[in-house]
Amino acid sequence: MPLCTAIVPFYNEKERVLYVLKQLIKVNNLEKIICVDDGSEDKSLVTSIKNRFKNVYVIRLNKNMGKSHAVSVGL
């Protein structure tokens, strides 16, 4: 089975992101999970992700630029 990468863009969606990550870590053929915080107002989520999901890459953007931009940065 080929390995894949998941890109999870988010903006002020703490509960949804944590739920999605709990589900994604169960997927066998995921090589990487990349979260892109698109300038969320609550900066604590990035720390929460890093503490709970050690193998998830997190990119934090300073300014909200939209989902397409966040996905481009993740790529």
Side-chain angles (χ1 to χ4, degrees):
M1 193 166 16
L3 296 178
C4 300
T5 298
I7 299 172
V8 182
F10 65 91
Y11 176 72
N12 293 339
E13 300 176 79
K14 183 174 185 172
E15 296 306 317
R16 183 191 69 83
V17 171
L18 296 177
Y19 175 78
V20 167
L21 290 175
K22 287 178 190 175
Q23 301 311 308
L24 281 175
I25 62 172
K26 297 176 188 176
V27 177
N28 291 328
N29 67 327
L30 277 180
E31 181 177 31
K32 291 181 192 173
I33 300 172
I34 302 169
C35 286
V36 183
D37 179 350
D38 191 20
S40 295
E41 295 168 13
D42 180 10
K43 298 173 185 166
S44 67
L45 178 57
V46 170
T47 303
S48 182
I49 291 170
K50 287 180 180 180
N51 289 336
R52 292 184 189 186
F53 304 96
K54 302 292 184 192
N55 295 326
V56 173
Y57 298 91
V58 181
I59 301 169
R60 173 143 177 38
L61 304 177
N62 291 324
K63 181 179 177 186
N64 181 280
M65 300 289 287
K67 187 183 285 188
S68 297
H69 180 74
V71 170
S72 289
V73 170
L75 288 171

